[in-house]
Amino acid sequence: LGIPGLMDKPATNNDPQESKLASMPPDIAPGPALGSARRILKNSTALSLAVLLERGFALFLPWYVARMQGREDWGIYSTALAFVMVGAPIATWGLTQLLPREIGRDSAKAGRLLANAGVVAALASFLVTAVGTVLVILLNYPQDVRMLIILGLVMTLLPRAEYLLSEATVNGLEKMEWIVLVRFPATLLRVILSIGLLALGCGLHVLFWLWAAYYLLAFAAYLMLFHTLVSGFSLKLDAHLIRSLAVRALPFVATLFVGETLAKFDRIFLSKWEGTDAVGAYAVGIMLVQTLLLIATAIMNALYPALSRAYHRSKQQFSLVVSQLFRLLFAAVFPVMLSAIALARPLILLVFGDDYG
């Protein structure tokens, strides 16, 4: 809370641009420091709570598959999910990064941006699904593994992309409490149904059907909130805007490909060199790390719209805020890291059993 307001004029700053901002009417000029700090705190808390609640309940599903279904089934499911996660960042075409920035600058465009970004993501999803399917066939997996991977790609990539774009719109509007409202009940329903159907003897394929239903349900819930609570929200298609978004998102696509897609090839390589059983052991070991990384993502998503406005209005103020945020986050990460290292082995053995030693 000691961070200066993201859009405030420092008391000793003689920058003409800052003086211009200070003379704006109250409805246009940047808000006070306390208001900015409270908004950031509210958004960070809401989004972090959503992630923790969702992952806390969602953890029961991988736990059930890993411990009750056995390491082989868990390895097969993790391998199929790895293909989905490799293609998922490209399926959104970097628009989950672009939309919050654009909507944060002009919330009146939220509906148009979401609608046209959805078209781009749909085309990208079809392309990634086709390429992924060909790749799976060429890798010559066993029949059951191959069919599960293809089912995962076909069923989840498109609805997941549209769901993530709607959530990016929520981030841009800085209504992160909506994410708690939507994610928690949808995740609870998905996990209960998944475990129930697996207990009744259904195959792993049912998990991807329920993933698709989860994304579609959450997407529909966000649309209902937009139309009900966002003034002037309207989904209008614009061919020029579709092309513009596709081109402007290219730097984000490149960043995602290098930073996320390539980093998720580990389980695919492991499944071919060591088999799906080895993937099962590895997936349990990496689960704790991925859960902790989601908290960092939640914090960044909450900060992003406000940082975008700060950069747009005053690069000097943006630099000051970012430097202080780096120092705070750098100090906070070490106790989290050390705790994770100390508790990882006993926690995994306790929760998943001796097979994962």
Side-chain angles (χ1 to χ4, degrees):
L1 292 178
I3 300 174
L6 293 184
M7 297 162 288
D8 285 347
K9 179 177 76 67
T12 59
N13 193 346
N14 294 320
D15 187 351
Q17 176 66 17
E18 297 292 346
S19 299
K20 180 180 178 182
L21 290 173
S23 64
M24 290 181 178
D27 60 332
I28 299 177
L34 185 58
S36 296
R38 284 176 176 170
R39 183 172 60 252
I40 291 173
L41 180 63
K42 181 201 74 171
N43 291 335
S44 298
T45 301
L47 199 55
S48 297
L49 179 62
V51 169
L52 292 174
L53 285 174
E54 179 194 12
R55 292 302 169 182
F57 279 96
L59 186 62
F60 283 104
L61 179 57
W63 170 82
Y64 184 89
V65 178
R67 183 146 190 165
M68 303 302 179
Q69 300 288 114
R71 200 166 81 181
E72 179 60 29
D73 271 5
W74 170 235
I76 293 173
Y77 174 64
S78 297
T79 300
L81 198 59
F83 275 88
V84 174
M85 292 298 103
V86 164
I90 307 301
T92 61
W93 202 250
L95 292 167
T96 54
Q97 282 70 37
L98 182 62
L99 283 190
R101 186 187 77 181
E102 298 302 311
I103 295 172
R105 294 177 179 177
D106 186 357
S107 60
K109 297 179 179 179
R112 292 181 62 243
L113 288 167
L114 175 59
N116 291 278
V119 174
V120 178
L123 296 174
S125 297
F126 290 136
L127 176 62
V128 173
T129 300
V131 172
T133 300
V134 172
L135 179 62
V136 171
I137 295 173
L138 292 177
L139 287 173
N140 196 29
Y141 280 99
Q143 177 72 11
D144 58 336
V145 179
R146 181 169 65 249
M147 294 307 298
L148 188 65
I149 295 172
I150 294 174
L151 177 67
L153 293 171
V154 171
M155 291 300 303
T156 62
L157 280 186
L158 177 56
R160 185 180 190 276
E162 301 299 335
Y163 153 77
L164 288 177
L165 291 181
S166 64
E167 202 157 272
T169 303
V170 175
N171 291 339
L173 293 170
E174 297 184 83
K175 298 291 185 180
M176 277 65 170
E177 62 274 14
W178 293 358
I179 296 178
V180 183
L181 180 66
V182 171
R183 275 191 182 185
F184 181 69
T187 298
L188 184 61
L189 180 62
R190 178 182 65 84
V191 171
I192 291 174
L193 288 176
S194 297
I195 293 177
L197 290 173
L198 288 176
L200 291 174
C202 295
L204 294 172
H205 65 277
V206 74
L207 299 179
F208 287 112
W209 284 97
L210 289 172
W211 269 118
Y214 164 80
Y215 292 134
L216 290 172
L217 176 64
F219 178 58
Y222 283 131
L223 286 181
M224 183 178 66
L225 287 172
F226 294 148
H227 283 292
T228 304
L229 301 177
V230 179
S231 177
F233 186 88
S234 177
L235 298 171
K236 294 182 179 179
L237 295 180
D238 182 338
H240 175 73
L241 184 56
I242 292 173
R243 291 193 297 270
S244 174
L245 288 172
V247 173
R248 291 163 62 197
L250 284 175
F252 294 103
V253 177
T255 302
L256 287 169
F257 180 75
V258 175
E260 293 191 29
T261 299
L262 292 180
K264 292 174 181 173
F265 269 106
D266 46 6
R267 284 178 236 193
I268 295 176
F269 285 126
L270 191 60
S271 68
K272 291 304 296 179
W273 264 269
E274 299 291 340
T276 53
D277 183 69
V279 176
Y282 174 75
V284 163
I286 206 70
M287 192 184 302
L288 176 61
V289 177
Q290 292 174 326
T291 302
L292 292 174
L293 288 176
L294 287 169
I295 300 174
T297 302
I299 295 172
M300 192 60 237
N301 284 342
L303 292 173
Y304 190 50
L307 289 175
S308 179
R309 280 196 304 273
Y311 181 83
H312 184 63
R313 288 170 171 163
S314 171
K315 295 179 177 60
Q316 179 182 2
Q317 187 71 9
F318 171 82
S319 299
L320 176 63
V321 170
V322 168
S323 65
Q324 295 197 19
L325 283 173
F326 270 130
R327 284 196 290 270
L328 289 171
L329 295 174
F330 188 70
V333 75
F334 281 98
V336 176
M337 177 188 70
L338 294 175
S339 299
I341 293 172
L343 298 175
R345 180 175 177 82
L347 183 63
I348 288 172
L349 292 175
L350 175 66
V351 174
F352 294 98
D354 293 337
D355 285 347
Y356 297 93

